[in-house]
């Protein structure tokens, strides 16, 4: 089966197992075998990568693990976080559609449901001068897994109380991803940013964060075009890059 899309998932590779779908997609690009929308899906990822070297572990055959090749040459390097917003919203659209109505985006690259992690996104960009040459969008989403090695994870099946057709969910994700990507390509960045902020975990709420190994109370005010998180701490608005601030949950 293929998704009802113009290009995302029309060239689709299914691998029973691989080390990393992002790495497999990268190899297809190197060999000039990947058209835009080329998608690599696996049932078992043995060395999945998360943001900044973290690992992503998933039970084989139970979850979505895929990577999509995109060519966002229309997007300036300084605006590359808009791609993250579009992808995050696409996964959120899927979660809401399948019944996880309270799912949110947790900056910079996670999907959360009531303080528990549902999925993660890893986007690797290749830059050509001032614009993006290509991007490999990796998505991991907990769908039918019920047992986790850590208490901060959950899945759609745990939330809904029943398992889902994994192929159906995967195809729908690709359709929603294309919809959001086309919004980005058509310049609807203000719409994407507004929806992203409305869906942002702990947005405009006072919570504790860890900054430089110190506990601080702050309020998320927004996200800059460069992807930095704007947080008001002690009456001062500060901007944090990845790993410079962490949530206390």
């Amino acid at each position: 089966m293929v998704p009802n899309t113009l290009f995302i998932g029309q060239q689709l590779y299914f691998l029973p197992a691989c080390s990393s779908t992002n790495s497999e997609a990268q190899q297809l690009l190197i060999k000039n075998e990947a058209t835009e929308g080329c998608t690599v899906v696996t049932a078992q990822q043995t060395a999945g990568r998360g943001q900044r070297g973290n690992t992503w572990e998933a039970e084989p055959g139970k979850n979505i693990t895929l990577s999509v090749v995109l060519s966002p040459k229309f997007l300036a390097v300084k605006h590359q976080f808009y791609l993250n917003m579009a992808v995050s919203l696409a996964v959120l659209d899927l979660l809401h559609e399948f019944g996880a109505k309270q799912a949110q985006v947790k900056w910079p690259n996670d999907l959360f449901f009531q303080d528990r992690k549902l999925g993660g996104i890893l986007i690797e960009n290749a830059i050509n001068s001032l614009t993006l040459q290509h991007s490999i969008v990796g998505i991991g989403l907990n769908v039918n897994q019920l047992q986790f090695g850590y208490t901060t994870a959950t899945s759609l099946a745990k939330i809904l109380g029943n398992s889902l057709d994994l192929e159906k969910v995967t195809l729908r994700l690709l359709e929603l991803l294309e919809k959001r990507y086309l919004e980005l390509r058509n310049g609807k960045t203000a719409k994407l940013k507004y929806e992203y902020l409305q869906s942002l975990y702990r947005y405009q709420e006072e919570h504790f964060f860890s900054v430089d190994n110190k506990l601080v109370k702050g309020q998320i005010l927004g996200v800059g075009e460069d992807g930095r998180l704007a947080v008001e701490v002690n009456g001062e608005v500060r901007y944090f890059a990845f790993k410079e601030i962490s949530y206390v949950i």
Side-chain angles (χ1 to χ4, degrees), residues 13-31 38-51 53-58 64-69 120-124 136-140:
Y13 295 87
F14 176 78
L15 305 174
C18 72
S19 61
S20 160
T21 54
N22 267 34
S23 297
E24 294 289 341
Q26 181 67 44
Q27 288 304 308
L28 290 168
L29 272 171
I30 290 170
K31 293 186 285 188
C38 174
T39 301
V40 178
V41 182
T42 190
Q44 181 180 6
Q45 186 168 246
T46 58
R49 300 195 304 280
Q51 193 73 39
N54 295 330
T55 58
W56 175 262
E57 297 180 8
I64 291 175
T65 309
L66 60 79
S67 296
V68 179
V69 175
I121 295 162
L122 176 65
I123 301 177
E124 297 179 303
I136 298 174
V137 175
I139 299 173

Side-chain angles (χ1 to χ4, degrees), residues 120-184:
I121 295 162
L122 176 65
I123 301 177
E124 297 179 303
N125 295 319
I127 294 166
N128 180 21
S129 186
L130 299 177
T131 61
L132 300 185
Q133 180 67 17
H134 65 255
S135 300
I136 298 174
V137 175
I139 299 173
L141 186 64
N142 298 331
V143 179
N144 288 327
Q145 185 168 336
L146 296 177
Q147 301 296 325
F148 295 92
Y150 40 96
T151 59
T152 55
T154 190
S155 67
L156 270 173
K158 287 192 74 169
I159 293 165
L160 303 176
N162 58 269
S163 62
L164 294 96
D165 183 324
L166 196 59
E167 184 177 278
K168 178 182 176 182
V169 178
T170 302
L171 295 177
R172 186 58 182 147
L173 173 59
L174 296 177
E175 291 165 1
L176 293 167
L177 180 60
E178 181 172 278
K179 181 184 174 198
R180 288 295 188 176
Y181 181 66
L182 290 175
E183 285 185 346
L184 178 63

Side-chain angles (χ1 to χ4, degrees), residues 4 10 46 85 87 100 104 108 111 114 118 124 132 137 143 152-153 158 171 176 181 183 188 195 197 206:
N4 182 22
Q10 293 302 308
T46 58
M85 292 184 190
V87 174
Q104 293 179 292
L111 284 303
Q114 296 180 346
L118 258 174
E124 297 179 303
L132 300 185
V137 175
V143 179
T152 55
K158 287 192 74 169
L171 295 177
L176 293 167
Y181 181 66
E183 285 185 346
K188 296 183 179 178
E195 291 187 40
L197 290 177
E206 274 209 346

Side-chain angles (χ1 to χ4, degrees), residues 182-201:
L182 290 175
E183 285 185 346
L184 178 63
R185 197 162 78 178
N186 291 330
K188 296 183 179 178
T189 51
K191 175 181 184 292
L192 290 168
K193 185 170 184 178
Y194 174 79
E195 291 187 40
Y196 180 86
L197 290 177
Q198 298 311 305
S199 306
L200 191 60
Y201 178 69

Side-chain angles (χ1 to χ4, degrees), residues 51 60 71 96 152 202 245 248:
Q51 193 73 39
S71 302
H96 290 170
T152 55
R202 294 186 173 178
I245 186 171
V248 176

